[in-house]
Amino acid sequence: MKAILVSKHGGPEVLEWRDHAISDPGAGEVRIRHEAVGLNFIDVYFRTGLYPAPNGLPLVPGNEGAGIVTAVGEGVTRFKEGDRIAYAGPIGAYAEERVIAAEKIVKVPDGIELDVAAGMMLKGMTAEYLLRRTHVVQPGDTILFHAAAGGVGLIAGQWAKALGATVIGTVGSAEKAELAAANGYDHVINYRTEDFVERVKDITGGKGVDVVYDSVGKDTFPGSLDCLRPRGLWASFGQSSGPIEPINIGILSQKGSLFATRPTLFTYIASREDLEASANALFDVVARGIVKIDINQRYKLAEAAQAHTDLEGRKTTGVTVLKP
């Protein structure tokens, strides 16, 4: 089969479409044929070496996909050949086929297309844990979500609005502002033309928000802290603009006895119970139309380098899938 391989860290040009061997599934594993693979910023982190590859180089990137089970290994009883499945993690999705632990995949309900599932698992379960577990969003809460027109942002905007929150988002263009406003955001701030801290203060009457969900990192710090009410929570779950420099924890007391966390999806879905609960919550809101998943970009998997170029250039919005 063919896969995208990274033999050295670097820019999008290190993504190579090459022949790659695949084995039969071992005990507790299944082999799957991908229908589609999701594109996420974490793929960039692994490509550049910001995040270390679990098994070193060469590396097959990708943490999200959906497809059909084509073979099952010894001891696998939860899945059979022909099952429609999806997953978020472990790494290795940029391939026509792969072998994966059965404990890491979930069945996709009949009413959800595999292309949609491929592009929503990592992003949708990220929105789930952020909104329902990192900070339990309640009716009356006011939240700020950076990168509101991104894959996680568009899902989170719809979901948070359904939970009864006032939802504020930041974006980098007028077009992205329109997209965010159509996906649950009550207030959208274009950070290229407005000071997002001042706008948040205006919107909240100086009170600040209950929680800031921040996947941007360097460019939004420490501004994110200045948007919080006293004892508010800063949830830093990504760093698309670059890593944040080491900080003196005293800044949290200076800015209002703030809480801070650096969560990851893979901790929140580490157990089978948590994985199924998160996936089922996502499937439920999508099936009921509370959250709509639009695939805004499609690329051939062989063209992953162009997809990465567009992602890093902030040319993509919402969900993007790569097609083998």
Side-chain angles (χ1 to χ4, degrees):
M1 64 140 193
K2 286 190 176 293
I4 292 287
L5 278 92
V6 174
S7 299
K8 61 179 180 180
H9 295 305
E13 71 279 357
V14 304
L15 298 168
E16 298 180 294
W17 183 239
R18 290 166 39 190
D19 290 333
H20 188 57
I22 185 170
S23 64
D24 292 327
E29 295 179 331
V30 300
R31 181 168 166 165
I32 59 175
R33 182 185 72 251
H34 280 130
E35 291 293 318
V37 173
L39 177 72
N40 296 281
F41 226 98
I42 193 173
D43 306 346
V44 174
Y45 301 157
F46 280 112
R47 189 202 76 218
T48 61
L50 181 62
Y51 287 3
N55 299 309
L57 299 178
L59 160 74
V60 177
N63 283 270
E64 177 181 53
I68 305 295
V69 174
T70 58
V72 298
E74 181 183 353
V76 175
T77 58
R78 190 177 273 123
F79 302 97
K80 65 183 186 304
E81 289 183 31
D83 280 347
R84 304 166 72 249
I85 64 87
Y87 64 89
I91 199 166
Y94 283 23
E96 291 176 324
E97 300 180 68
R98 75 174 297 182
V99 172
I100 189 171
E103 286 300 300
K104 299 299 184 183
I105 66 175
V106 294
K107 291 181 182 177
V108 177
D110 289 341
I112 296 176
E113 296 178 7
L114 287 178
D115 277 20
V116 170
M120 79 177 189
M121 297 304 294
L122 189 145
K123 292 172 276 289
M125 290 195 294
T126 296
E128 184 277 327
Y129 87 74
L130 289 171
L131 300 176
R132 290 161 45 99
R133 291 185 279 166
T134 299
H135 169 85
V136 181
V137 174
Q138 305 284 348
D141 280 358
T142 302
I143 75 171
L144 173 63
F145 212 101
H146 289 302
V152 180
L154 293 182
I155 295 172
Q158 298 174 69
W159 206 333
K161 188 63 179 174
L163 292 171
T166 297
V167 192
I168 306 170
T170 67
V171 297
S173 71
E175 293 78 14
K176 289 183 177 181
E178 288 185 19
L179 185 60
N183 282 272
Y185 287 87
D186 298 288
H187 307 275
V188 185
I189 303 165
N190 184 339
Y191 61 80
R192 296 191 189 279
T193 59
E194 302 175 278
D195 182 320
F196 74 84
V197 176
E198 291 304 315
R199 283 284 290 119
V200 167
K201 288 180 179 178
D202 289 344
I203 292 165
T204 63
K207 294 179 180 179
V209 299
D210 297 283
V211 56
V212 176
Y213 296 110
D214 189 345
S215 65
V216 176
K218 181 180 176 182
D219 289 354
T220 48
F221 185 83
S224 288
L225 303 185
D226 294 322
C227 294
L228 287 165
R229 64 164 173 77
R231 294 185 288 168
L233 172 67
W234 173 52
S236 170
F237 68 100
Q239 48 204 39
S240 62
S241 67
I244 296 168
E245 294 296 321
I247 63 172
N248 182 335
I249 197 170
I251 194 173
L252 300 178
S253 65
Q254 296 163 15
K255 293 183 180 293
S257 299
L258 304 178
F259 294 86
T261 184
R262 180 57 174 89
T264 70
L265 170 63
F266 302 115
T267 306
Y268 276 83
I269 60 170
S271 73
R272 182 71 196 179
E273 180 182 10
D274 283 340
L275 170 61
E276 289 188 344
S278 186
N280 287 338
L282 174 62
F283 291 147
D284 176 63
V285 293
V286 172
R288 289 193 288 139
I290 292 171
V291 171
K292 295 188 171 90
I293 307 291
D294 294 321
I295 299 173
N296 292 342
Q297 296 83 210
R298 282 184 170 88
Y299 300 83
K300 293 179 180 178
L301 181 54
E303 300 169 351
Q306 184 61 55
H308 276 229
T309 298
D310 292 348
L311 177 65
E312 291 181 274
R314 302 180 187 272
K315 295 179 181 178
T316 65
T317 58
V319 171
T320 302
V321 297
L322 310 175
K323 295 285 288 181

